[in-house]
Amino acid sequence: MVKSIIGHTKDLGDNFHIRRVLPALEKRSVGPFVFFDHFGPVPIVTGQELVVRAHPHIGLATITFLYDGIILHRDSLGVEEKIQPNETNWMIAGHGIVHSERSLFDKKYEILEGIQTWVALPKDKEDIEPSFQHLSESEIPVYKENGITLRLLGGNFLNLSSPAIVHSALLYADIHVEKDASQVEWQLPESVEAAIYVSRGSIEVEESAYGVGSMILFEKGSKITFKPQQESRLMLLGGEPLTERHILYWNFVSTSQEKIDQAKVRWEKDEFPKVIHETERIPLPPPIGGAH
């Protein structure tokens, strides 16, 4: 019997809603993935539907993937990069980075929708130098078979290898499922656990239906099996489970409470590096605050 979790809706402000799936009470992480947000779909009217002011990260990698719309990423490394549908932004925070995210208006897109995930860095990589990598659609390896199109955004799977620079044993993929696609059966390596999130449409797993907002969990070394109920869009994520306890506070992830506390003080004292063209910052939340 497979297990599943359902994302809960959260308002980030200005009526911009997301579905937050990880962390959940039932499952804190899937492989090294400790955070999973599905944002949108929201109609694009002004282009300013998403405005995330400058904010810091430590100890993690953020991965942004878009279905529709355009987002402008700026960070304290001096990077300014637009991300468009079927592309990814991989940002390694390491010992500390600051970035902002803002949607843009483009008449090609009527809605804004995408996925943002966080990968916890291994203990020995938490303090590496920050970095940023953008992968265009043409750089992402693609697997096609029997009505299934899988874009491998990170890691290794189905004899594909993503060019994304990662620091954990993981797999991350966007999957487009046509309505008449065949049933899927993919074997996971013995050390790898995984999950499938339904972004659009619905699928059937072991005779149960799962719609938008559902994340189906697959244990280490098991088979990933599903068949479509309609045309669908899915995210596959997983990897080797974390071996150390990771603490999540706001935008900070670490195996060390001391490093979390130090990051809080650094942000309050405005000691993180600056983001060019950004004058506003998101303040540190009160002690009961969560991730943005």
Side-chain angles (χ1 to χ4, degrees):
M1 179 86 180
V2 297
K3 297 179 180 179
S4 64
I5 52 181
I6 301 292
H8 64 276
T9 302
K10 184 177 177 67
D11 189 346
L12 296 188
D14 299 323
N15 205 33
F16 189 86
H17 294 90
I18 55 95
R19 282 189 180 90
R20 182 151 297 161
V21 190
L22 293 176
L25 290 176
E26 305 93 328
K27 186 74 171 170
R28 303 299 295 175
S29 59
V30 177
F33 290 84
V34 295
F35 180 92
F36 188 104
D37 266 5
H38 177 188
F39 56 88
V42 294
I44 297 175
V45 179
T46 65
Q48 298 180 6
E49 280 66 32
L50 175 69
V51 178
V52 182
R53 294 167 292 158
H55 59 281
H57 289 287
I58 65 164
L60 57 82
T62 69
I63 308 104
T64 305
F65 178 83
L66 284 185
Y67 296 123
D68 279 289
I70 300 177
I71 290 177
L72 177 65
H73 162 99
R74 291 184 178 131
D75 65 39
S76 52
L77 298 175
V79 174
E80 183 170 304
E81 181 73 59
K82 291 180 182 178
I83 179 172
Q84 302 189 63
N86 301 324
E87 300 181 341
T88 57
N89 281 352
W90 286 77
M91 187 182 76
I92 309 295
H95 59 71
I97 197 169
V98 182
H99 76 137
S100 65
E101 298 155 298
R102 298 174 182 272
S103 56
L104 300 175
F105 180 80
D106 189 304
K107 61 183 180 182
K108 290 188 296 186
Y109 304 108
E110 297 181 354
I111 62 172
L112 175 68
E113 183 179 16
I115 303 288
Q116 186 170 91
T117 54
W118 295 356
V119 172
L121 294 175
K123 185 176 181 178
D124 63 346
K125 298 291 183 70
E126 288 183 4
D127 294 322
I128 62 175
E129 288 298 314
S131 62
F132 178 87
Q133 183 182 20
H134 174 83
L135 294 179
S136 65
E137 184 174 4
S138 63
E139 294 175 284
I140 296 171
V142 178
Y143 167 91
K144 289 189 177 185
E145 185 178 30
N146 299 326
I148 301 288
T149 300
L150 179 146
R151 296 178 177 87
L152 188 65
L153 311 180
N156 301 285
F157 194 57
L158 299 177
N159 296 317
L160 298 177
S161 182
S162 167
I165 298 168
V166 301
H167 298 281
S168 308
L170 60 79
L171 62 93
Y172 191 41
D174 161 60
I175 305 171
H176 178 251
V177 185
E178 296 176 15
K179 182 180 179 180
D180 58 353
S182 303
Q183 176 165 312
V184 167
E185 288 192 10
W186 294 326
Q187 180 65 49
L188 288 172
E190 287 298 319
S191 61
V192 170
E193 65 178 0
I196 283 183
Y197 175 76
V198 183
S199 303
R200 296 176 176 178
S202 61
I203 60 173
E204 184 180 310
V205 181
E206 293 188 1
E207 299 183 350
S208 294
Y210 297 93
V212 175
S214 298
M215 180 175 280
I216 306 102
L217 306 172
F218 298 91
E219 295 181 354
K220 286 194 299 182
S222 64
K223 272 188 179 180
I224 296 174
T225 62
F226 66 87
K227 61 182 179 181
Q229 291 193 318
Q230 57 183 297
E231 183 179 0
S232 302
R233 201 75 179 261
L234 316 172
M235 296 299 289
L236 170 65
L237 62 150
E240 295 183 1
L242 297 170
T243 56
E244 302 104 352
R245 174 177 174 264
H246 283 73
I247 303 162
L248 275 71
Y249 176 85
W250 192 39
N251 302 307
F252 305 139
V253 175
S254 180
T255 56
S256 163
Q257 183 63 53
E258 182 181 4
K259 288 181 181 179
I260 297 282
D261 293 339
Q262 289 172 350
K264 290 157 64 175
V265 172
R266 285 167 60 200
W267 187 245
E268 285 189 311
K269 292 185 175 181
D270 197 16
E271 292 176 349
F272 271 83
K274 304 296 188 293
V275 180
I276 297 175
H277 305 306
E278 292 287 347
T279 58
E280 294 183 297
R281 309 185 322 144
I282 298 178
L284 188 76
I288 60 171
H292 82 259

